[in-house]
Amino acid sequence: MSLNGRISELAAKHRHLDEQIAAEQKRPSSDDLTVKDLKRQKLKIKEQLRQLKAS
């Protein structure tokens, strides 16, 4: 996979996680652990994107 393809894939995953976080937080009985885990995943992807864009 090309560098641009990998960046696009990670960016899409990042957006998807953002949507999942928003949906989970809107629920009346949202699970804080789930939100925390999703945010951790999102941060990991953000870091990968930063590293790929720097190279």
Side-chain angles (χ1 to χ4, degrees):
M1 179 180 285
S2 71
L3 180 61
N4 286 335
R6 180 72 177 139
I7 289 172
S8 294
E9 179 185 337
L10 287 172
K13 286 183 182 180
H14 190 269
R15 282 190 302 276
H16 181 70
L17 283 169
D18 203 28
E19 292 167 0
Q20 284 182 296
I21 291 167
E24 183 66 30
Q25 288 176 330
K26 287 180 184 176
R27 289 185 32 210
S29 61
S30 66
D31 183 9
D32 290 338
L33 289 176
T34 300
V35 172
K36 189 175 183 178
D37 183 53
L38 290 170
K39 286 183 177 183
R40 187 177 296 122
Q41 291 176 41
K42 185 178 166 191
L43 183 60
K44 197 179 225 183
I45 290 174
K46 183 179 179 181
E47 191 60 31
Q48 289 175 348
L49 281 168
R50 187 189 61 77
Q51 289 175 353
L52 288 173
K53 288 179 180 179
S55 60

